Amino acid sequence: MLALSAEGVLPKVDYAIFADTGWEPRAVYAHLDRMEREIAAPAGIPVLRVSTGNIRDDALDPDHRFASMPLYILNQDGKAGMTRRQCTGEYKIKPIKRQVRELLGYPYPARIPREVFVEQWVGISTDEFHRAKDADVKYMRNRHPLIDMGWSRADCVRYLSSLGLADTPKSSCLGCPFHGNAQWRQIRDTSPEEWADVVAFDAAIRQGNARANASGNRLLGQAFLHRSRVPLSEAPIDHVTAAEWAALQQELGSDEVATELEDGVTDGCSPWACRGDADAPSRDDFGLAT
């Protein structure tokens, strides 16, 4: 949407806001820098980076109140569970609201007059129209330009490709428990340092968050980043789940193409990293094996 606004396809926005959890992949920060430098700045659109802290550091700090990540739990009786997800509200929504209040001239806890509000654009495409919701405060009114334009994710990818931005990475915490196997594999196969980071974090949160443990509220079980509820270093991330397989088939319209996309070309490489001694396959603008 920033590019659409900068190019005049959509009206020019006053600001673009990025809520930083402090633990995004390096590729996301590099992409944000590029967008700010090549797209936003020439169009005169300020990019505001807001944050309430580093989610990774906070989770391991016994002196810090931690907003729970949705960790997979293996209880003492062997039953599976999951912790509540509070991180989006704490590390994404909260800093955005604080910034919006400041832009309006009514920092918390000042009361905002009913007639004062911002129009906030949310980047949800037609594929996920069910996620389009109103804001929970009156001083923010959500609008969904991509849905208004009838754009799907594929339309967005085509547009980004036309701007030379086909490699736009997904913004999410490096160690988000909602990663699919493909995302875990991408980290492992393309960024050894980041893989070591998430493996270390996974081991560190086995007994729950540090603040709860320090206060005597120990987790009655074990916590994991991967849905298999085994250490990330041992998790079956090379296994393609039924949901991932169905998504690939639907996106590509072919079982054969989906197989090649997941496994790479015969005797060659996976879409993200070399698997053997064969020459690496060529890659298209999306970084996928062709």
Side-chain angles (χ1 to χ4, degrees):
M1 292 188 301
L2 175 59
L4 288 168
S5 177
E7 285 206 318
V9 179
L10 291 173
K12 182 180 176 181
V13 293
D14 297 306
Y15 301 94
I17 300 178
F18 176 77
D20 184 6
T21 66
W23 200 28
E24 294 273 349
R26 292 174 185 168
V28 170
Y29 292 119
H31 178 73
L32 180 61
D33 290 341
R34 181 186 177 190
M35 288 292 293
E36 186 170 8
R37 181 178 62 253
E38 299 180 10
I39 304 294
I45 300 174
V47 176
L48 308 179
R49 306 187 190 203
V50 299
S51 176
T52 54
N54 183 300
I55 190 172
R56 187 193 193 284
D57 294 345
D58 293 347
L60 304 180
D61 183 356
D63 296 322
H64 192 282
R65 186 190 74 80
F66 177 60
S68 175
M69 296 172 67
L71 302 174
Y72 295 95
I73 305 300
L74 185 63
N75 293 305
Q76 291 178 332
D77 60 4
K79 293 183 179 180
M82 198 166 193
T83 57
R84 289 193 305 158
R85 181 177 67 169
Q86 300 172 318
C87 47
T88 299
E90 181 70 17
Y91 292 91
K92 290 286 187 179
I93 299 175
K94 182 177 179 179
I96 290 175
K97 286 181 176 178
R98 183 178 62 222
Q99 181 66 74
V100 167
R101 276 180 158 273
E102 292 177 358
L103 292 173
L104 289 174
Y106 296 91
Y108 182 83
R111 180 180 177 277
I112 302 177
R114 182 175 300 179
E115 67 276 9
V116 176
F117 63 91
V118 299
E119 180 178 275
Q120 175 177 250
W121 292 3
V122 182
I124 295 176
S125 65
T126 56
D127 310 78
E128 300 181 306
F129 71 91
H130 58 279
R131 294 178 56 202
K133 300 177 181 178
D134 293 330
D136 61 353
V137 290
K138 293 182 179 180
Y139 60 86
M140 297 168 68
R141 298 185 182 180
N142 288 350
R143 180 185 169 192
H144 306 89
L146 298 178
I147 293 178
D148 294 340
M149 295 170 64
W151 275 28
S152 66
R153 181 180 182 278
D155 293 317
C156 295
V157 171
R158 279 192 290 271
Y159 175 68
L160 290 172
S161 299
S162 72
L163 300 178
L165 297 169
D167 58 350
T168 297
K170 179 180 179 180
S171 174
S172 64
C173 285
L174 187 64
C176 178
F178 288 147
H179 282 342
N181 285 338
Q183 290 165 295
W184 289 124
R185 287 196 301 272
Q186 184 177 24
I187 297 171
R188 180 196 65 188
D189 296 345
T190 65
S191 184
E193 288 186 15
E194 290 184 315
W195 176 247
D197 185 22
V198 292
V199 167
F201 180 79
D202 173 69
I205 51 88
R206 193 71 69 237
Q207 302 306 319
N209 80 72
R211 175 70 177 269
N213 289 331
S215 62
N217 297 316
R218 296 183 62 83
L219 179 68
L220 300 179
Q222 293 183 309
F224 302 88
L225 287 182
H226 193 267
R227 59 186 168 221
S228 63
R229 294 173 175 81
V230 299
L232 186 58
S233 59
E234 304 170 17
I237 64 173
D238 288 304
H239 170 68
V240 182
T241 66
E244 288 174 327
W245 187 254
L248 283 174
Q249 290 177 302
Q250 182 177 8
E251 180 178 349
L252 299 174
S254 166
D255 183 83
E256 182 178 350
V257 176
T259 299
E260 185 169 288
L261 177 59
E262 177 56 34
D263 298 330
V265 296
T266 304
D267 297 325
C269 298
S270 75
W272 298 279
C274 183
R275 283 182 175 172
D277 296 328
D279 292 337
S282 61
R283 295 173 184 271
D284 62 17
D285 289 339
F286 298 89
L288 303 177
T290 58

